[in-house]
Amino acid sequence: MPEGSVNFGFLPKQLDISTEEISIETLAGSEDVIQTIRASKQVDKDWNYAPPHDTLKKSNGDFSELPYPTRVFSLPPTHLLRHKKDNDKSHLEFLIWCLGFFEGLRLTTEKAGYLDATPIKPGKLTDFHLSGETKIGNALELAERYWRDHRPVQNKRMTGIIHCLFLAQNRRHMPFEKFTYLYMALDGCYKATSETGGHSHGKRIAWTCKQFEMSVPDWANPHPNQTEISKVRNDTIHETLFFGEPIGFVPYGGSSTLAPESNVPLQMHALTCRLIVALLGMPNAEYVHTPVDKRQNFDLCFT
């Protein structure tokens, strides 16, 4: 197949690497683009938020701002990805999704590929940082092998898992929204592990962890057929209640105060990160078996 290439962003750093089939190069002028975005009034604490929604007045042709932000927005591309042997757009986009996961921020090939908000600092969306000399090159090779070894539906499912993981980190989300996105991501990990399915919601996460010899968090252990989070999920989806109250008005855990070390959404996020790494082909990585109840970043080493 002919060579394929695609611009992507927003990656606020110099990155020029090459593997056997894939290369990434920084676009000319990216340094100025990065500085402009960092100085934007849409940025707060390393997050870029959607700009105000503009509407065109037909009477005079002027634009005016509406009292709410747009949902989907764009950031300028900063890099170019080339594949020596494939120009399939879905293949190139998959590599960008995986690159974004390993960089810890949303990357996109789309002109307007961001929803509501996105971090502009690497490492904001995951709890690991890459360790070892070849780092990103190894990550791309891992993603390339996953693409070759799986059917299209599984490749698309993986991007969906990563997307839900990223969406959950929006700092403006209500607790039920964060929980729902994380639950969807974990359920996607279960489906990516076993396309045949067959397990009830109360047993899926424990079963998935056991496939990779990972410890099962207490909130994912069925007692006997239901877990803490499957009950929360059932009440939210089927009963319209989040810890006994209308959704949007209570934190996770309801009126009870959970200790920081028992922060279940935090652990759901950490477990999803580890399952993605395992699913992509590194089930034996030390990071995959690190505890999920710690507020710290871990090394992810490819050697």
Side-chain angles (χ1 to χ4, degrees):
M1 297 184 71
E3 177 181 292
S5 65
V6 63
N7 287 343
F8 70 92
F10 172 78
L11 182 59
K13 70 177 188 180
Q14 189 86 12
L15 181 62
D16 297 278
I17 61 171
S18 181
T19 69
E20 183 178 347
E21 296 180 338
I22 305 164
S23 65
I24 292 177
E25 60 188 73
T26 307
L27 295 175
S30 286
E31 185 175 346
D32 291 338
V33 168
I34 292 168
Q35 292 304 319
T36 298
I37 295 300
R38 284 175 173 165
S40 169
K41 65 180 181 179
Q42 305 303 139
V43 173
D44 177 59
K45 296 180 179 178
D46 297 321
W47 278 76
N48 192 106
Y49 293 90
H53 193 91
D54 291 334
T55 185
L56 178 64
K57 291 184 177 181
K58 294 183 179 180
S59 58
N60 57 14
D62 292 337
F63 283 92
S64 62
E65 290 186 0
L66 295 175
Y68 51 84
T70 185
R71 298 283 317 268
V72 177
F73 65 100
S74 63
L75 288 176
T78 53
H79 293 75
L80 171 72
L81 179 141
R82 298 183 190 274
H83 196 291
K84 296 178 181 178
K85 299 180 180 179
D86 197 356
N87 64 354
D88 181 351
K89 182 181 178 182
S90 59
H91 186 177
L92 304 182
E93 288 179 341
F94 176 81
L95 294 174
I96 297 300
W97 274 107
C98 292
L99 176 63
F101 172 71
F102 286 109
E103 287 284 0
L105 81 169
R106 168 78 164 116
L107 300 177
T108 182
T109 64
E110 299 295 332
K111 183 177 180 181
Y114 297 96
L115 178 63
D116 293 328
T118 188
I120 59 168
K121 182 178 180 180
K124 282 286 189 178
L125 298 177
T126 54
D127 71 341
F128 62 81
H129 54 80
L130 299 187
S131 177
E133 294 183 357
T134 47
K135 297 182 181 180
I136 290 298
N138 283 348
L140 287 170
E141 290 174 344
L142 193 72
E144 179 70 7
R145 286 195 296 273
Y146 189 92
W147 172 268
R148 291 198 304 262
D149 294 344
H150 292 79
R151 299 190 301 113
V153 66
Q154 282 290 54
N155 293 324
K156 184 63 71 172
R157 184 174 289 125
M158 178 57 71
T159 63
I161 294 168
I162 294 172
H163 190 39
C164 275
L165 174 72
F166 286 1
L167 288 176
Q169 305 316 302
N170 188 331
R171 295 163 61 220
R172 299 188 65 200
H173 276 333
M174 303 297 286
F176 82 93
E177 293 175 305
K178 183 181 183 70
F179 170 81
T180 302
Y181 279 127
L182 289 172
Y183 195 100
M184 292 167 64
L186 284 169
D187 215 22
C189 289
Y190 162 74
K191 192 65 174 179
T193 308
S194 173
E195 287 195 81
T196 57
H199 297 85
S200 66
H201 278 280
K203 298 180 178 179
R204 290 181 179 183
I205 298 174
W207 179 88
T208 305
C209 289
K210 290 174 181 177
Q211 305 314 299
F212 301 113
E213 300 181 352
M214 299 166 63
S215 297
V216 181
D218 289 342
W219 45 266
N221 267 315
H223 304 287
N225 296 315
Q226 195 174 50
T227 65
E228 176 182 331
I229 67 166
S230 68
K231 183 180 186 308
V232 176
R233 175 258 181 196
N234 289 343
D235 289 347
T236 303
I237 299 299
H238 299 297
E239 307 295 337
T240 70
L241 297 175
F242 192 66
F243 290 94
E245 298 292 341
I247 58 176
F249 296 96
V250 291
Y252 189 94
S255 58
S256 63
T257 302
L258 298 181
E261 60 269 23
S262 300
N263 188 326
V264 173
L266 174 73
Q267 295 182 40
M268 293 171 70
H269 168 262
L271 181 60
T272 303
C273 289
R274 285 152 181 75
L275 286 172
I276 292 172
V277 172
L279 284 163
L280 285 174
M282 294 179 62
N284 298 320
E286 183 177 346
Y287 165 76
V288 171
H289 302 279
T290 53
V292 300
D293 59 349
K294 306 296 181 183
R295 290 180 179 271
Q296 68 183 74
N297 280 0
F298 294 85
D299 287 340
L300 174 56
C301 187
F302 288 87
T303 56

